Every structure is written in structure tokens, then in C-alpha cells.
Amino acid sequence: MPASKFAKLRDARVLLLGGTSGIGFATAEASIEAGAIVTIASSTQDRLSSALSKLKSAYPEAAAANKIHGHICDLSQPESLEANLKALLEFATNNNTHKLDHIAYTAANVPRLPGLVDYQASAIKESILILRYDAPIILGKLAPAYMNQDPRSSITFTGASTATKPTPGRGILTALGASTEGVAKGLAVDLAPIRVNVVAPGTVDTELLRALAGPDPKVQAGFKEMLKKVTLLNKVGEPEDVAEAYIYLMKDANVTGAVIHTDGGRLVK
Ligand SMILES: NC(=O)c1ccc[n+]([C@@H]2O[C@H](COP(=O)([O-])OP(=O)(O)OC[C@H]3O[C@@H](n4cnc5c(N)ncnc54)[C@H](OP(=O)(O)O)[C@@H]3O)[C@@H](O)[C@H]2O)c1
């Protein structure tokens, strides 16, 4: 029987920055199910240990085959950003002896931004910008030395549907999402033949979304109902659906500089 043409992630090396929760964790699960050797990164040891133990107990065969790894990498501090990313890339490649095939970047903190009328110069917290702008650029600078130089290799960043369709009253968010798309398109040109793309989710039921709504479960439920209404499918996305977009972008060696939308039809409503 010929080897499957489509089992492209079997034994591929995949690094997931932001792989401890939400969309990134689901992408870790999907990558493991596709047979990849996965490294997840986190800013804290507790969250890393908890995500690793969940993955290892859900996928005991992959764990026994030593295919699930994790490493600390805090991306929020400008002074340590480059050193932390370099240490992570060294870890994920066994000191650059096993090149990476794919990197997916879903790391983000809660984007609490002032409204337009309250906006002041430099009002956006530094860590929000570092995670969405500086870290992707520094990753683009460092990662190629640790990756196979081939169109089968990819880096996928994460934007948002708000980059294309602003939410009334939250227009500044559009600039944040659009900056990620700009970084990715620029890197696609500079890093070719490595492919660089973006997944642009609509709202997705993750920790980040719940944190935006606040701790009250009633308020969270009301927030979700409101978000459903702006989609064509009347739903908030599930991480396991959105994760498919990252897997697609890893597997299609013909796609680069692209933005893949997965938003319940928000853009066409
Ligand atoms: N959920 C939505 O509705 C939605 C909508 C549009 C776009 N997005 C985008 O989708 C992406 C994933 O979001 P999500 O909803 O899956 O969020 P999430 O569940 O909160 O996951 C965020 C990830 O970022 C990591 N992270 C946070 N601070 C970090 C730091 N300082 N250094 C390194 N990693 C850090 C977290 O890991 P640790 O805490 O373990 O460090 C976690 O793994 C983000 O880019 C987000 O903007 C989400």
C-alpha cells in the first residue's frame, strides 16, 4: 500500500506558542492526532504542567512515543523576548539538530483597550503590543535558522475577524488585528520558501473570551448571546473547529501570505 499522500503531519515537528489553552491547545490536540511531534510553550510553569498533563493523558500513545513536549517562554517582556524565543527554538529542535516543520502562534493576553474618546498617546499596554507585534516579528527573524527551508514548512499567526470588519465602539481593535496581518504578509515575502499565513477567528469560546466578559457567569452567557447574533450561523466558534484552519495551513504547501477566516459567517452578515 502506498504511503498516504495526506498524512503530511505524521512525525512533523510542530511548535505552538500559546498552546496551553483555547485555540492553541486545540491545535496541539489536532497536531498530535495527526501524528506530529509537538512542543507547546507557556509563560508559566503551572499552566505548562497542567496543559502537558492533559495532553499526555488524552494521548497516551503519543506521550509514550515521546511526541509531546513543553517549554517556558514568556513573550511579554521586551528585554527578555529575543533570548526567550531563542531558548524555546533551541529546546524544540534539540539544539537545532532536528529542524521544525511548522510553528503556530496563538499567544495573546486579553486586549483591554480604551475607547476612542478616552484614547491617549501610548495608551495601549506595552504587553498587548509586544505579544501581537514585536514577538511575531522577532519570531520571524529567529525561526528560519531552526526550520526546514522548504514550502512544506510554515508559520501561522493569529489575527481576528475585527481586522476586516470593525466592531462598533471597538475600532482600535481593528488596528491590532490588521497589524498581525501586515507582519505576516511581510514575513511571507522575506522568509520564502517558508510559508507565512494568518488565521482570523471570529469569536471563539476560550478563556480569553470569558476573561473579556468578566467573572460573572450570567454576564458571560449574555455576552455570548450578543456575539452569536452578529454571525450568520448564530454561534460562537469552538476551538476544535478553528484549530482545523491551522492544520490546513500547515498542510497546504501552496498557500502563503494568506488570511483564512473562520468566523461563523460574521463577515458576510
Ligand atoms: N477567543 C476569541 O474570541 C478570539 C477572537 C479573535 C481572535 N482571537 C485570537 O486568537 C488567539 C488565541 O486566543 P484564545 O482565545 O485561544 O486565547 P487563550 O485561550 O487565552 O490562549 C492564549 C494563549 O496565550 C498564551 N499567553 C498569554 N500570555 C503570554 C505570555 N506573556 N507569553 C507567552 N504566552 C502567553 C497563554 O499561555 P499561558 O497563559 O500558559 O502563558 C495561552 O496559551 C489570540 O491571538 C486571540 O487574539 C481570539
Side-chain angles (χ1 to χ4, degrees):
M1 190 148 37
S4 165
K5 282 200 284 192
F6 296 97
K8 295 172 183 172
L9 296 185
R10 191 171 297 150
D11 295 326
R13 287 182 181 267
V14 175
L15 170 61
L16 301 161
L17 291 96
T20 54
S21 75
I23 298 168
F25 185 79
T27 306
E29 295 176 304
S31 303
I32 293 167
E33 289 193 15
I37 301 161
V38 169
T39 300
I40 60 170
S42 168
S43 59
T44 67
Q45 187 59 56
D46 281 0
R47 291 200 20 112
L48 182 64
S49 303
S50 149
L52 279 175
S53 74
K54 271 198 245 165
L55 287 173
K56 286 179 180 176
S57 65
Y59 301 103
E61 279 182 26
N66 204 21
K67 286 178 143 192
I68 304 175
H69 306 274
H71 195 71
I72 292 288
C73 182
D74 181 10
L75 300 167
S76 66
Q77 306 301 320
E79 323 73 65
S80 54
L81 178 61
E82 188 153 346
N84 287 355
L85 278 169
K86 199 162 190 318
L88 174 64
L89 290 162
E90 289 282 335
F91 173 85
T93 58
N94 291 338
N95 300 319
N96 215 358
T97 56
H98 295 91
K99 300 276 188 197
L100 287 166
D101 298 292
H102 305 287
I103 299 176
Y105 185 104
T106 57
N109 43 14
V110 181
R112 292 194 198 289
L113 303 180
L116 191 55
V117 287
D118 298 318
Y119 193 84
Q120 308 278 330
S122 308
I124 300 183
K125 261 190 21 206
E126 196 181 41
S127 65
I128 291 179
L129 287 178
I130 290 169
L131 275 157
R132 287 170 174 78
Y133 189 75
D134 292 302
I137 294 175
I138 304 279
L139 183 65
K141 167 178 147 183
L142 299 177
Y146 295 89
M147 299 183 77
N148 290 312
Q149 298 288 320
D150 189 291
R152 282 171 296 186
S153 302
S154 74
I155 303 177
T156 303
F157 292 109
T158 308
S161 64
T162 44
T164 305
K165 186 171 184 176
T167 305
R170 306 200 74 216
I172 298 166
L173 258 185
T174 296
L176 268 191
S179 74
T180 304
E181 291 186 13
V183 168
K185 284 180 189 167
L187 289 176
V189 171
D190 285 340
L191 305 194
I194 294 168
R195 298 175 295 105
V196 185
N197 295 291
V198 172
V199 173
T203 47
V204 187
D205 197 0
T206 66
E207 284 182 24
L208 188 141
L209 193 71
R210 291 186 280 276
L212 262 181
D216 183 342
K218 265 197 192 154
V219 177
Q220 285 182 9
F223 188 52
K224 264 176 88 170
E225 279 311 306
M226 180 193 74
L227 294 170
K228 278 183 185 177
K229 293 197 176 99
V230 301
T231 71
L232 198 60
L233 302 180
N234 193 33
K235 71 192 287 251
V236 167
E238 295 300 332
E240 59 268 32
D241 291 327
V242 175
E244 299 284 359
Y246 296 81
I247 299 298
Y248 160 69
L249 288 170
M250 291 180 203
K251 291 176 75 173
D252 181 348
N254 201 39
V255 61
T256 193
V259 180
I260 301 297
H261 295 277
T262 162
D263 54 25
R266 176 172 179 253
L267 297 186
V268 290
K269 177 151 175 170

